[in-house]
Amino acid sequence: MALLELKNISKIYGDLKALDNVSIRVEKGEWVAIMGPSGSGKSTMMNIIGCMDKPTMGEVLLSGVDISKETARSLTDIRRDKIGLIFQQFHMVTYLTAVENVMVSQYYHSMPDEEEALEALGRVGLRDRARHLPSQLSGGEQQRVCVARALINHPELILADEPTGNLDETNENIVLGLFRQLHNEGTTLIVVTHDPEVAEAAQRTIVLEHGRVAREVINENFGK
Amino acid sequence: MNLKKLPLLNLKRNPGRTLALVLLTAVLSFSIFGGTVVVSSLRRGLGSLTERLGADIIVVPSQAQSKVSFQDIFLQGTVGAFYMSRENLTRTLEVEGVEKAAAQVFLASLKADCCSIRIQVIGIDPETDFVIRPWLEKSGSRGLKDMDVVVGTKVGAEVGETLRIYEERCHVAGKLAPTGTGLDSAVYCNMSTMKKLLSAAEAKGISHKVSSDDEDVVSAIYVKVKEGYDIGKVNSAIQGHTRKASAIRTRSMITDVSSSLLAISRVILGLIGAIWGMGFLLLFLAFAMIARERQQEFALLRVLGSTKKALKGLIRKEAFLCCLSGGFVGIGLACLLVFPFQTLIEMSLSLPYLIPEPSGLFLIALGALGASVASGFASSAFAAWRLSQADPGRLLRQG
């Protein structure tokens, strides 16, 4: 059974079809990149997969359960329990330290556990920066905190929107290394990106154009 | 870290923003508490004045610039004296409709070696007095023996001490409860003591005689009119029957004070309204700006699993904490201004001014706090609603 399956989904805003009868399937443990030019429907798809929006038509199956008709409240619960989100702009709570930012995610999921949060920061190489505020961290460090925050609740799916878009090459490599590590541990990853190098790090790339799946590319060099 | 502490952490780690919100709310509670205390004190002062006057008509010498100078003594504690023949008391009692009449004699002490302090001394006849005596009894005073004085609350002498008036030593036998009127600055004695003090003043060249053959003088006669009689007619009759005296209806005096009080109260209430309105608007704008600044933070919390209701609660809690602190700060600042400068306020208003009892002050403070917190809730409600309505996915993608 696929972890995620979009069946003939469309999203229509007035006269605009942001997504037009799209179907994709992501297996458990798979690392998939979604690419496409601006206006191709990447963000809309990301919102639907991330339970931040609902399709106008079609089904979204997460672990075999159709979530396309769920209420906003249920979608919040699903997102909290099953999905870890990473954004291009990092988005940290500015007045909380790195470890507190990770613990916020724990709080909404279950119970805050500082030791576990510190371990997650350790995984991204930031244990010694745990008590720093976002303003005291570099962009790369902030993004790594966001990765720690996304993985702290052991989500079934990590959904990343342009996760390296604001990073220099060094930090991009660190973040991709972390994704590789998560993938090796069996975490499912969906990465929305403009960057072909980031897409090439994934097992498979789905290319969107004009709200439709234009093609799918299997990365032959994956894991090599 | 506990999410319940999130509002507190935000306020602690954004000191500039928090201080601005606290100060804005402080302005609200300052205006509400300070203004209400002043207005309440004026109203209480008027009530006290009405109670203390206790007479329907007051007869004073015509030379006393009619009621104006008498009002100054009564309302502002101006030190002064004027005299008329005691015969006017007998004449007043003869007028039909007069139930009772009691005389008072005034004496102003000097700011000189012969006197401890410059004060208004008022002699009363405890047998006939119906104006000061109930107040003395209410204040627990045992009565006025010869050379005993009872002092008003603002007189700087305590029970057991001695006051020197024209070299005569008077024993302070009691201290009266505050009235908020000029009477708080006066000293009260019986007529026998007053006669000694008048003689002592005479020896110092302060004459009280109205003519060379009339040493028996009074300064004011308080008149109670019998029930069923028209006070205006009795007032006119007294005016016609007494010599070199003016009869003043106390109601006209109270009406004058009441009109001034109403005008001042309106100005103060208007000011409270204007400051409150301005403060509320600024608070509303501040919360709206903060909401705009924090929309991504709230979108993030939504994405992490917070409900709209929980986010609204977060904003409400922050508004509550800010406004409660601001409320306390404003009340504290108002206390620093209203209480230490009480005499200055009283003097500048020239009206009876009696600060409410502690229980009354507590209620006013509670009301001001409640109003500040309610203003915070109301002004932040729109921001909370807007934040909870925003599309978190769009906000987070926008960056």
Side-chain angles (χ1 to χ4, degrees):
Chain A
M1 185 177 63
L3 176 73
L4 176 76
E5 197 173 355
L6 307 186
K7 281 186 177 176
N8 310 110
I9 63 159
S10 294
K11 182 71 186 179
I12 302 163
Y13 299 104
D15 296 334
L16 177 77
K17 272 193 172 180
L19 286 176
D20 185 7
N21 200 29
V22 171
S23 296
I24 64 165
R25 192 181 160 91
V26 178
E27 300 298 330
K28 195 170 181 348
E30 200 179 2
W31 181 354
V32 174
I34 297 172
M35 281 193 79
S38 292
S40 60
K42 296 193 304 290
S43 297
T44 308
M45 184 182 274
M46 155 113 187
N47 277 356
I48 290 170
I49 298 171
C51 298
M52 291 179 279
D53 202 354
K54 290 195 272 190
T56 313
M57 282 178 285
E59 289 181 355
V60 180
L61 302 173
L62 188 64
S63 303
V65 179
D66 184 11
I67 60 167
S68 57
K69 308 286 185 294
E70 295 289 346
T71 60
R73 182 70 186 258
S74 301
L75 287 175
T76 299
D77 293 342
I78 293 164
R79 184 172 61 237
R80 184 187 61 202
D81 295 339
K82 299 185 182 231
I83 303 169
L85 285 157
I86 299 165
F87 295 92
Q88 180 179 1
Q89 307 285 345
F90 321 140
H91 296 307
M92 290 174 70
V93 180
T94 51
Y95 54 88
L96 296 183
T97 60
V99 71
E100 287 168 342
N101 264 283
V102 177
M103 286 163 74
V104 168
S105 184
Q106 278 182 313
Y107 180 90
Y108 285 120
H109 183 263
S110 48
M111 283 282 284
D113 179 342
E114 189 167 344
E115 198 43 52
E116 201 184 346
L118 286 169
E119 271 173 37
L121 283 174
R123 277 190 74 180
V124 297
L126 288 175
R127 195 174 172 123
D128 58 331
R129 310 283 280 165
R131 309 289 169 198
H132 287 68
L133 289 168
S135 56
Q136 298 164 319
L137 300 172
S138 70
E141 287 173 328
Q142 287 187 51
Q143 191 62 303
R144 279 146 69 193
V145 174
C146 293
V147 173
R149 184 176 65 197
L151 59 87
I152 187 72
N153 297 323
H154 311 287
E156 291 178 26
L157 171 67
I158 285 194
L159 184 58
D161 184 14
E162 301 282 3
T164 58
N166 278 348
L167 300 182
D168 56 24
E169 201 180 337
T170 312
N171 279 300
E172 180 178 306
N173 288 332
I174 294 172
V175 170
L176 289 179
L178 285 168
F179 285 176
R180 210 164 281 124
Q181 202 182 327
L182 289 169
H183 170 71
N184 291 338
E185 288 165 6
T187 308
T188 310
L189 290 151
I190 297 177
V191 180
V192 177
T193 183
H194 269 104
D195 186 345
E197 279 185 36
V198 175
E200 277 169 20
Q203 283 173 292
R204 181 163 59 104
T205 303
I206 297 168
V207 181
L208 294 180
E209 279 172 14
H210 307 296
R212 290 169 171 268
V213 176
R215 59 189 177 278
E216 285 194 36
V217 182
I218 304 293
N219 181 8
E220 301 293 343
N221 296 321
F222 181 77
K224 288 181 184 169
Chain B
M1 212 261 326
N2 183 331
L3 212 68
K4 285 178 185 160
K5 289 182 187 164
L6 216 56
L8 199 64
L9 277 175
N10 175 38
L11 298 178
K12 251 174 75 177
R13 292 178 186 170
N14 285 296
R17 192 165 69 188
T18 306
L19 187 71
L21 287 175
V22 167
L23 286 179
L24 268 177
T25 330
V27 171
L28 293 186
S29 67
F30 176 89
S31 66
I32 294 171
F33 181 76
T36 311
V37 167
V38 172
V39 170
S40 301
S41 301
L42 287 170
R43 286 189 180 154
R44 250 189 118 221
L46 179 69
S48 173
L49 172 74
T50 312
E51 199 185 328
R52 284 282 65 80
L53 276 174
D56 299 314
I57 297 163
I58 298 173
V59 184
V60 292
S62 311
Q63 47 130 30
Q65 295 166 29
S66 79
K67 61 179 182 176
V68 178
S69 98
F70 180 74
Q71 266 194 3
D72 286 350
I73 291 174
F74 217 96
L75 300 181
Q76 293 169 41
T78 306
V79 177
F82 35 74
Y83 302 100
M84 59 187 169
S85 170
R86 183 171 276 272
E87 193 194 355
N88 276 334
L89 177 62
T90 318
R91 286 177 170 271
T92 301
L93 282 164
E94 285 167 3
V95 172
E96 200 189 338
V98 171
E99 187 188 334
K100 46 189 174 182
Q104 288 185 358
V105 180
F106 298 164
L107 176 67
S109 71
L110 294 176
K111 199 175 182 181
D113 289 347
C114 62
C115 306
S116 309
I117 38 174
R118 180 162 163 75
I119 37 167
Q120 180 75 26
V121 188
I122 299 176
I124 62 164
D125 181 357
E127 296 296 312
T128 56
D129 181 80
F130 61 93
V131 178
I132 305 293
R133 204 182 58 194
W135 182 31
L136 294 175
E137 285 166 0
K138 209 173 161 183
S139 300
S141 217
R142 290 171 286 116
L144 286 167
K145 291 180 193 161
D146 283 356
M147 298 316 284
D148 267 4
V149 290
V150 173
V151 298
T153 192
K154 284 187 185 164
V155 176
E158 297 305 320
V159 177
E161 290 180 0
T162 301
L163 273 180
R164 211 154 38 82
I165 304 167
Y166 295 108
E167 302 293 3
E168 294 287 342
R169 292 185 171 275
C170 299
H171 172 248
V172 179
K175 195 151 194 169
L176 296 166
T179 65
T181 66
L183 299 176
D184 289 338
S185 309
V187 161
Y188 303 86
C189 63
N190 66 20
M191 284 300 182
S192 155
T193 308
M194 179 51 89
K195 274 185 182 163
K196 279 186 189 161
L197 295 178
L198 287 174
S199 301
E202 189 79 33
K204 296 277 175 194
I206 314 284
S207 178
H208 59 275
K209 290 177 186 169
V210 283
S211 64
S212 55
D213 59 338
D214 191 354
E215 287 189 34
D216 206 2
V217 293
V218 295
S219 299
I221 300 164
Y222 287 71
V223 179
K224 186 86 184 160
V225 174
K226 279 181 191 165
E227 221 172 296
Y229 280 84
D230 185 292
I231 297 172
K233 282 182 183 167
V234 175
N235 190 69
S236 303
I238 293 171
Q239 182 73 58
H241 199 59
T242 50
R243 286 182 184 165
K244 295 179 181 174
S246 301
I248 307 159
R249 286 188 66 177
T250 51
R251 209 180 75 183
S252 73
M253 196 165 143
I254 290 168
T255 308
D256 286 353
V257 173
S258 177
S259 307
S260 306
L261 186 144
L262 199 69
I264 289 173
S265 294
R266 276 190 188 142
V267 170
I268 294 171
L269 291 174
L271 272 174
I272 295 177
I275 293 172
W276 192 87
M278 185 76 85
F280 183 82
L281 185 71
L282 286 174
L283 210 55
F284 179 86
L285 291 173
F287 276 115
M289 278 164 65
I290 290 167
R292 201 177 162 79
E293 187 189 309
R294 296 177 68 191
Q295 53 185 359
Q296 282 173 1
E297 172 197 332
F298 282 82
L300 176 70
L301 295 177
R302 283 274 307 278
V303 161
L304 290 178
S306 175
T307 57
K308 287 182 185 180
K309 197 178 160 190
L311 285 188
K312 283 183 192 167
L314 207 73
I315 296 170
R316 268 199 292 267
K317 197 169 173 183
E318 283 185 16
F320 174 77
L321 289 171
C322 277
C323 295
L324 194 69
S325 325
F328 278 117
V329 170
I331 289 169
L333 289 175
C335 286
L336 287 178
L337 196 78
V338 168
F339 300 118
F341 296 100
Q342 184 183 335
T343 314
L344 196 71
I345 296 171
E346 196 177 333
M347 276 166 63
S348 59
L349 293 175
S350 302
L351 284 170
Y353 188 85
L354 187 57
I355 293 270
E357 298 284 331
S359 57
L361 287 173
F362 178 74
L363 284 178
I364 296 173
L366 214 61
L369 264 185
S372 305
V373 171
S375 309
F377 275 152
S379 55
S380 66
F382 175 71
W385 175 80
R386 249 184 83 172
L387 279 173
S388 69
Q389 294 304 307
D391 172 5
R394 182 182 55 81
L395 285 170
L396 293 179
R397 275 196 321 276
Q398 275 175 349

